[in-house]
Amino acid sequence: MMKYLFIRDTIFATIAAFLIIAAFKFIPLNLHIFDPVKAAFSDIQFNDLAFSKIKKEEKFDENIIIINVDTAKRKDIARLLTTVSNCNVSVIGMDVLFLDSSTSNMADRMLGNVMNSTPNLVVAEKLIWVKGKPLVQNYYVSEAHNTGYANFIGEEKGVIRSYSPFEKDSLVVHKSFTSAIMEMADINNYHALEKRDNEIELINYKRSTENYMVFDWLDVLDNKVDAALLKNKIVLLGYIDNTGFNIADKHYTPLNKDFIHKKVPDMDGVIIHANILSMIMANQFIHKMPNWLNFLLAVFLTYLHIAIFVNYYINNHKWLHVRFIDIVAIQFLLSIIFISVGISLLRLNYYFDFTLPLYAIMLSLYVLYFYEGFTNWIKKKYNFKTIFSHSNH
Amino acid sequence: MKLIFVIPLMIACSNVQAQTLFMAYKITGKVFQIKKGQQISFKTGNYLNENDSIIVGPNSSVVFICNKLSLLELSRQQLYPLKKFTSSCKSPANSYAAEYFAYILEAFGKVHDKPEEHRKKYMNNLGGIVRGDCGGITFENYIDSVRYCFGNFSLRWKLLNTVGTASIVFNSTTSERPAFSLPVKNNSFSVSNLSKEGLTEDAYTWKMNIAGVNDCQEKYFELWSKTEFDKLITHIEKNFDEKLQKAEKNYRIGFYLERMHFFSEALYYYQKALKLSPSNEIYEKTSLLVAKTYKLY
């Protein structure tokens, strides 16, 4: 094998493998449909497996308390805000989007006034892009002291794996809902997030609804929740589905227990925000391998594979045909090893996207056939020197 | 003998189990349920069963989660008896091949991006409950309170149910006159028709009446006579410096009127200012913005 490690054909065949992958990327069709593995794992990243099966944290995060606003109207929410702010909480995060007025001017004003007199409140808003510039939509933009956009990143009905902590244009820096909360709750953690300077952050999901303390808004108003419990905590006011059927603010996440056939969205938006806050506070960010390193690793692994296959292609081609199924099985096994490595890395909060090396390795054997045909053609026409010839067969 | 009771009971139980439930997950545009021959609107989270039928309107779609198992998207403009889709609600474990081919049909031609690499395109998932409408009707913010004397102004809203059965009801706040009701056929109501319909200058509350759909609270509307409106303009003008140019004077009147929620009248004065000083960019931009914001066309 060593003999073929440093020859020109191995280098060219590796380049060919990547060129073919690049060509597939530009075909405007979803060619994954012919891949049964992809079909079964539609909108699944192998790393989701790590989240759904391995990463679950059973402990409560006692720094965050969630109050379910359920069907509370604006005047009820105003009363709730007053009650909660009297409990000396650290920050109140209002994960309810008021995009326009309600049907009661009085209730609108009442809530606006309470927002205005609550300096440690962060109100969620909607971020939209207009001609490439970020704009926010929020009915209470002038009343609220602090605001943050509640948008996540993901396809429609797709899995939410990441969010954007900040969005900047030439004049303004828009903070995400969780970034704005963190700025008030713990400035050091906020600076740590800012220092990372990432356009997107992968969400380190560790907890579901059962791992946060959730109270009903009526219980809080009726003084059934001890005020001492809320003291110095981050209190999120949001919508939690108690029935299991209401999907008003529900999203698909990698914690979905039914991780292959994701059928019903599994997590309320406010719990996703809570997971982000837990991640920032525990400094458990997911470190993504840089794209260049990912690419170099993919090139290196593909190069090794091509060298092995060139060896068999030239010296024992019959074996290659006879043991074709075995070779595919070996490739599949290698893929599983890579996936396992990826999952192990994710446990250490390190994310390695092994899609590219996986595809390159899977393609490497087929590329050799294509490469042989092509080199034989240019050999005839331009006297190109290659170790491949039809006599190998 | 016991079997006489047990067998029908078993049959009944098996029927209950076999019932397919479709939960509305995402509704876009006009989608109605057909019940006893009538079109009824339904909301996200409502359950329909296999005996129900739905109508999907033009440019509308609905996504159901059936039996908590699979997603079903209906987007063509037609009548769908839900019975037709019961087979697609079975557990995928029973028919992997069928699931795979369904996936091929759905996914072919749909390119999967990496949302993380195109975040601006994929930041549409809101992590919070949205509030600000009532019973399926979303009103434009600014129509909470409207004053009107002349011009082309409409009260606007978006509604999910059938427009044929809706009406708009005006109630005087100053007298005991009976409610004034007018049928609504579109998602807007032109207030310039009110005088023609016999509504006199007064302060009113108004609301939408749609049977069985909503209990929206009332909004405020003032209909002004031309005499009273002219008095208001004179009053506003009194506050201006006499040396102020005519165009600027009209612009400022427009500004005051807009603040008072006289929207079509504000546009009239902004346009008047622009006519007097056609090269003024601010006048031009304000006129365009006001016309666009309040949909004055």
Side-chain angles (χ1 to χ4, degrees):
Chain A
M1 182 208 126
M2 287 298 283
K3 189 179 156 189
Y4 297 103
L5 207 53
F6 302 105
I7 61 166
R8 199 170 58 167
D9 284 303
T10 310
I11 299 168
F12 284 159
T14 308
I15 294 170
F18 283 94
L19 284 176
I20 289 169
I21 290 171
F24 274 123
K25 213 173 171 176
F26 289 109
I27 296 174
L29 285 174
N30 184 7
L31 296 172
H32 295 306
I33 57 169
F34 301 114
D35 175 357
V37 175
K38 175 73 188 171
F41 288 82
S42 179
D43 197 24
I44 287 285
Q45 285 187 359
F46 288 105
N47 286 327
D48 291 353
L49 182 71
F51 277 118
S52 66
K53 297 292 174 197
I54 300 163
K55 289 202 66 104
K56 189 91 185 293
E57 178 77 62
E58 295 300 333
K59 285 180 193 162
F60 273 88
D61 188 338
E62 293 180 342
N63 298 309
I64 299 167
I65 285 174
I66 296 162
I67 297 175
N68 182 12
V69 297
D70 199 26
T71 54
K73 291 183 174 174
R74 288 185 199 212
K75 64 175 193 304
D76 303 322
I77 292 175
R79 281 168 59 216
L80 182 66
L81 256 181
T82 313
T83 309
V84 174
S85 64
N86 288 336
C87 298
N88 295 322
V89 300
S90 162
V91 188
I92 306 169
M94 170 83 76
D95 188 29
V96 182
L97 289 110
F98 300 100
L99 301 182
D100 52 35
S101 60
S102 73
T103 47
S104 160
N105 282 339
M106 197 185 72
D108 288 352
R109 274 199 304 275
M110 199 170 146
L111 182 56
N113 292 340
V114 176
M115 283 182 178
N116 199 253
S117 56
T118 315
N120 61 339
L121 169 74
V122 176
V123 179
E125 58 195 6
K126 181 183 179 182
L127 187 124
I128 46 169
W129 295 90
V130 179
K131 291 178 183 169
K133 285 193 172 181
L135 294 175
V136 287
Q137 207 180 331
N138 181 359
Y139 183 70
Y140 290 109
V141 74
S142 47
E143 286 88 348
H145 291 272
N146 316 284
T147 58
Y149 57 85
N151 305 53
F152 301 128
I153 298 170
E155 285 182 281
E156 196 183 352
K157 289 177 257 159
V159 180
I160 304 296
R161 298 187 182 92
S162 56
Y163 81 107
S164 146
F166 304 99
E167 285 300 342
K168 301 164 191 169
D169 67 15
S170 52
L171 297 170
V172 202
V173 177
H174 298 285
K175 290 167 204 151
S176 73
F177 180 58
T178 47
S179 301
I181 290 174
M182 197 44 64
E183 188 182 19
M184 301 195 71
D186 188 332
I187 196 72
N188 292 331
N189 280 327
Y190 175 77
H191 287 320
L193 174 71
E194 224 178 13
K195 211 174 165 185
R196 285 170 62 81
D197 199 26
N198 285 344
E199 279 188 343
I200 67 137
E201 287 287 354
L202 292 165
I203 304 168
N204 199 349
Y205 286 101
K206 289 208 166 188
R207 293 175 178 86
S208 49
T209 315
E210 305 91 67
N211 304 111
Y212 289 100
M213 277 183 272
V214 181
F215 301 109
D216 195 76
W217 69 283
L218 280 169
D219 288 344
V220 177
L221 276 183
D222 292 348
N223 210 14
K224 287 180 183 166
V225 178
D226 189 359
L229 189 70
L230 307 182
K231 196 178 174 185
N232 297 328
K233 303 280 169 65
I234 295 174
V235 177
L236 300 179
L237 311 185
Y239 183 80
I240 300 279
D241 164 39
N242 285 326
T243 62
F245 298 107
N246 198 328
I247 37 75
D249 178 30
K250 280 222 160 158
H251 304 267
Y252 292 100
T253 74
L255 284 188
N256 201 315
K257 283 176 185 136
D258 190 9
F259 68 92
I260 295 181
H261 300 287
K262 283 191 168 76
K263 296 302 175 193
V264 182
D266 55 291
M267 194 177 280
D268 292 294
V270 68
I271 302 293
I272 301 181
H273 290 303
N275 266 287
I276 296 172
L277 289 169
S278 299
M279 172 182 83
I280 302 170
M281 283 192 287
N283 197 15
Q284 287 181 328
F285 294 102
I286 297 178
H287 305 279
K288 200 178 175 204
M289 188 177 280
N291 285 343
W292 63 268
L293 188 58
N294 213 41
F295 183 73
L296 274 187
L297 209 67
V299 170
F300 174 70
L301 293 170
T302 313
Y303 190 76
L304 277 182
H305 274 78
I306 297 251
I308 296 167
F309 290 136
V310 167
N311 180 28
Y312 281 103
Y313 204 97
I314 304 295
N315 299 320
N316 204 348
H317 197 88
K318 202 179 260 177
W319 183 88
L320 210 61
H321 281 287
V322 173
R323 310 304 295 266
F324 185 78
I325 297 295
D326 293 351
I327 291 165
V328 172
I330 290 166
Q331 282 182 318
F332 192 69
L333 195 69
L334 279 169
S335 314
I336 291 171
I337 292 169
F338 284 131
I339 290 165
S340 309
V341 170
I343 289 173
S344 305
L345 284 170
L346 197 60
R347 292 177 77 169
L348 302 168
N349 297 330
Y350 209 87
Y351 179 85
F352 168 42
D353 183 3
F354 35 76
T355 318
L356 184 64
L358 215 61
Y359 280 149
I361 291 165
M362 289 290 199
L363 269 177
S364 53
L365 184 60
Y366 312 104
V367 166
L368 279 187
Y369 283 96
F370 157 79
Y371 180 76
E372 185 212 19
F374 182 69
T375 48
N376 277 317
W377 177 70
I378 52 171
K379 188 178 175 181
K380 263 187 207 168
K381 206 155 187 180
Y382 303 106
N383 203 22
F384 178 78
K385 283 185 183 169
T386 174
I387 56 165
F388 288 95
S389 75
H390 287 305
S391 60
N392 297 137
H393 292 250
Chain B
M1 184 64 191
K2 278 178 189 171
L3 279 176
I4 295 170
F5 297 102
V6 173
I7 290 171
L9 192 68
M10 281 171 69
I11 292 167
C13 288
S14 66
N15 280 340
V16 170
Q17 271 196 330
Q19 183 79 278
T20 307
L21 282 177
F22 295 84
M23 188 187 75
Y25 175 32
K26 204 176 178 86
I27 304 167
T28 317
K30 292 171 187 172
V31 185
F32 315 111
Q33 180 188 355
I34 304 292
K35 223 165 199 174
K36 291 175 187 171
Q38 280 199 325
Q39 291 185 8
I40 300 168
S41 70
F42 59 96
K43 287 193 281 186
T44 298
N46 286 169
Y47 281 89
L48 277 72
N49 65 41
E50 60 191 45
N51 298 321
D52 290 325
S53 295
I54 60 155
I55 288 181
V56 177
N59 302 321
S60 307
S61 68
V62 58
V63 179
F64 288 107
I65 295 175
C66 59
N67 279 355
K68 291 172 74 180
L69 274 171
S70 53
L71 291 177
L72 169 71
E73 183 165 8
L74 306 172
S75 55
R76 277 195 194 162
Q77 184 188 347
Q78 65 180 74
L79 173 83
Y80 293 95
L82 290 178
K83 209 163 215 161
K84 260 172 69 179
F85 304 103
T86 48
S87 58
S88 62
C89 298
K90 282 174 188 159
S91 170
N94 293 340
S95 171
Y96 186 80
E99 170 108 327
Y100 180 52
F101 285 112
Y103 165 76
I104 286 181
L105 279 174
E106 185 203 312
F108 193 71
K110 182 183 168 189
V111 183
H112 280 276
D113 263 348
K114 278 192 172 176
E116 282 78 15
E117 287 174 11
H118 306 95
R119 70 181 199 291
K120 293 181 187 178
K121 193 173 154 191
Y122 291 107
M123 275 179 72
N124 302 320
N125 292 286
L126 278 179
I129 192 97
V130 179
R131 292 280 160 83
D133 62 353
C134 72
I137 304 177
T138 309
F139 294 97
E140 300 281 2
N141 286 348
Y142 56 86
I143 63 165
D144 252 6
S145 54
V146 172
R147 291 188 172 88
Y148 176 80
C149 180
F150 62 85
N152 185 18
F153 182 78
S154 296
L155 303 170
R156 291 174 193 275
W157 53 85
K158 289 171 191 162
L159 72 170
L160 296 173
N161 67 313
T162 172
V163 289
T165 58
S167 63
I168 189 166
V169 183
F170 288 84
N171 271 303
S172 169
T173 58
T174 56
S175 67
E176 293 295 318
R177 276 183 290 180
F180 192 87
S181 176
L182 287 166
V184 175
K185 283 175 186 157
N186 303 309
N187 286 3
S188 65
F189 179 82
S190 175
V191 291
S192 49
N193 294 330
L194 285 173
S195 303
K196 289 176 204 165
E197 294 289 344
L199 211 69
T200 52
E201 303 84 63
D202 204 343
Y204 297 90
T205 56
W206 66 273
K207 66 177 198 174
M208 295 287 299
N209 257 6
I210 300 167
V213 173
N214 69 304
D215 58 344
C216 293
Q217 288 179 1
E218 292 173 320
K219 295 179 183 294
Y220 187 74
F221 178 78
E222 276 181 21
L223 187 62
W224 281 50
S225 68
K226 188 79 176 71
T227 327
E228 287 301 310
F229 184 78
D230 289 341
K231 276 185 196 168
L232 174 73
I233 299 298
T234 317
H235 179 72
I236 293 171
E237 280 178 325
K238 268 184 195 167
N239 297 308
F240 296 151
D241 192 334
E242 280 179 14
K243 289 172 191 168
L244 201 66
Q245 284 185 345
K246 221 174 172 182
E248 184 63 20
K249 205 182 264 181
N250 280 292
Y251 179 76
R252 288 190 190 185
I253 293 171
F255 175 75
Y256 277 107
L257 292 175
E258 192 188 343
R259 297 284 297 210
M260 289 181 72
H261 285 208
F262 277 104
F263 299 114
S264 53
E265 298 80 357
L267 180 66
Y268 169 80
Y269 279 94
Y270 285 139
Q271 284 175 338
K272 212 170 157 184
L274 183 63
K275 267 182 199 168
L276 291 164
S277 177
S279 58
N280 190 312
E281 250 186 44
I282 297 173
Y283 298 166
E284 189 187 4
K285 278 184 184 168
T286 311
S287 300
L288 288 172
L289 196 70
V290 165
K292 194 181 164 192
T293 309
Y294 307 119
K295 298 184 175 68
L296 299 167
Y297 28 74

